[in-house]
Each structure stands twice: as C-alpha cells, then as structure tokens.
Amino acid sequence: PAIFSTQYFDHDSVLRRMQANSGEFWMTVNEPEMPDQCNESESAIADLVGDLIDIGRSADTEWQWGAPSVTLTANGGSGLRWLTEWNKIMRRRCGIAKPFAWMIHPYNSGSVSLFHASMDAWWEWYYRDNQGQGAPVVISEVCAEGSLPDVQADVMLECWKLLQNEEKVKGIFWFATYRSGVEEQRRSSRNPWQHYHLTTLDHGTQTVAFTELGQYWKELQNGLRTAQ
C-alpha cells in the first residue's frame, strides 16, 4: 500500500488495513518536491509519517515503512534537498533517524552516464554525515526518459548490475509496465516519453504483449533468478 499525499490519508482506513494485513510494507508520499506530484512541505510530510507510525503502533501488528520517494538530480536536485530537511525534522520530532528503506527515483537518466551521475549524487547523500547509512535502498521508479530503445536497454542493464553488485540496493522497479495513451497525450506538448514501456495493451481484446524492451527485461529477470 501507498499514501500519495496528506490529501488522501485516512486514519481509520489505514488502521483497518494494517490490522487485516500483517507484514506489509507501506510506501509514503510520491515526489513531494515536485509541483505536479505530491508537492508538500517537509514539515507536513514529517507529521504525516509520524501519524502513520502512531497508527502502526496502535494496530499492534508487523509492518514496515519507506521514506518519501524523491528524485535525485531532476529539477536541480530539489528532491535530495527536500529529503535532507525532512530527515532532520523526523529526528527532532519523532526521534527516528532512518526509515526501513530509502525510496528513490533516479530520473534525468536519459543515458547511462546520466544514470550514474544520478546514483553518484545519491551515494554522496547517503554517506554524508551518516544520514542514510544503515537502511536499504529501493529504486521505486526509473527509466531512461525520452531516450531511444537501445538507451532504455542500456540503463536497464545498469539497474540489473546494481542488483547484482550493490548489497544496499534491494529492489528496482522499472517505469512503466505499459504506456498509457492518456498519459502520452498529456505529455506530448512538453516532454513526450517514448520507448520506456515493457508491454503493449490491446484495449479491444484485453491482451498484453511484451515490447522488445519487455523481452529484454524478462531475460534480465531470469538471469537474476538463476544467479540467486
């Protein structure tokens, strides 16, 4: 489950969900630094996460929570600046130094070199003043936005290498499973994303087929399972 923003946070619904589903991992807000996403202050989201933790305590069940999902180098690095301040507030108000997992979006990854630059910015933040160390990392969204299929595959391979070689990275989720026609129309006038989707969806027959990138993703997934 995920909580997108304070607007969609309902105490009673969260409590019922926690009591009925022990062991779940709760994702908190999505890109609070971005005007077209959650777009809320560090203080407001610290209060929200504090409320979520209080609900979890009262539910008296097993559960975990992730930090707000932020971008790294997109929008001038505003996501990491936001996360720094939120982390400080959480320490002051809740006495909590780290979440169960950090959730990051290394967008601005239109090439392999840009992807590495984004991840370098993350690791610099992670190790600075011990503010990130001790909690695992989940890349909860990534793709080579705006790039051709071969670059998408190259960035995907770098993600696969991270899962193979970096023990702190515990999961990577590619954006996205399929391309939404509504999304493409909305984006077309400013930043058309293409070639990133793993499947095509035939709305008439309600069937799904892998794209070439999806087939490549499937091969990488099989390799990960074999390695494990």
Side-chain angles (χ1 to χ4, degrees):
I3 298 170
F4 185 81
S5 69
T6 58
Q7 179 182 354
Y8 301 104
F9 183 72
D10 180 80
H11 179 285
D12 293 337
S13 296
V14 171
L15 179 60
R16 288 194 299 269
R17 172 83 187 216
M18 285 185 173
Q19 290 174 331
N21 299 276
S22 179
E24 286 190 324
F25 182 92
W26 282 74
M27 295 176 65
T28 53
V29 300
N30 182 69
E31 297 180 1
E33 77 283 5
M34 300 296 281
D36 61 345
Q37 294 295 322
C38 171
N39 191 30
E40 295 197 61
S41 71
E42 301 90 341
S43 180
I45 300 306
D47 286 344
L48 182 149
V49 174
D51 289 344
L52 180 66
I53 292 169
D54 287 342
I55 295 170
R57 288 171 177 155
S58 66
D60 193 26
T61 188
E62 293 290 330
W63 71 290
Q64 296 182 349
W65 60 278
S69 301
V70 298
T71 60
L72 305 179
T73 56
N75 198 33
S78 62
L80 288 178
R81 291 192 297 273
W82 188 99
L83 192 63
T84 299
E85 183 59 26
W86 172 84
N87 204 30
K88 291 177 182 177
I89 296 171
M90 287 296 294
R91 293 186 189 199
R92 292 197 302 267
R93 293 184 186 173
C94 303
I96 294 174
K98 297 177 180 68
F100 282 90
W102 299 108
M103 315 294 287
I104 60 173
H105 296 172
Y107 285 131
N108 195 29
S109 292
S111 68
V112 167
S113 60
L114 286 172
F115 173 75
H116 284 303
S118 191
M119 291 306 300
D120 287 346
W122 167 249
W123 295 124
E124 193 279 329
W125 185 94
Y126 185 87
Y127 289 110
R128 187 195 312 150
D129 300 326
N130 194 37
Q131 61 187 348
Q133 288 176 265
V137 178
V138 175
I139 297 176
S140 49
E141 286 186 27
V142 64
C143 72
E145 67 271 28
S147 296
L148 294 173
D150 58 336
V151 179
Q152 300 285 348
D154 289 344
V155 170
M156 186 179 285
L157 179 60
E158 295 306 304
C159 292
W160 182 85
K161 290 176 182 177
L162 270 179
L163 280 174
Q164 290 282 79
N165 302 318
E166 177 51 73
E167 64 179 7
K168 291 180 287 296
V169 177
K170 300 301 183 184
I172 299 177
F173 296 85
W174 189 261
F175 185 90
T177 304
Y178 72 95
R179 183 172 64 190
S180 163
V182 173
E183 175 193 343
E184 291 303 306
Q185 292 174 14
R186 179 172 59 82
R187 293 181 183 275
S188 61
S189 63
R190 55 188 178 90
N191 183 23
W193 288 23
Q194 300 182 47
H195 314 302
Y196 62 89
H197 52 297
L198 304 180
T199 66
T200 56
L201 173 63
D202 187 318
H203 291 277
T205 61
Q206 290 295 293
T207 56
V208 174
F210 277 118
T211 62
E212 279 192 35
L213 185 66
Q215 289 286 359
Y216 185 60
W217 170 86
K218 183 178 177 181
E219 293 171 9
L220 293 178
Q221 293 296 304
N222 289 336
L224 279 174
R225 284 194 289 271
T226 300
Q228 293 169 353

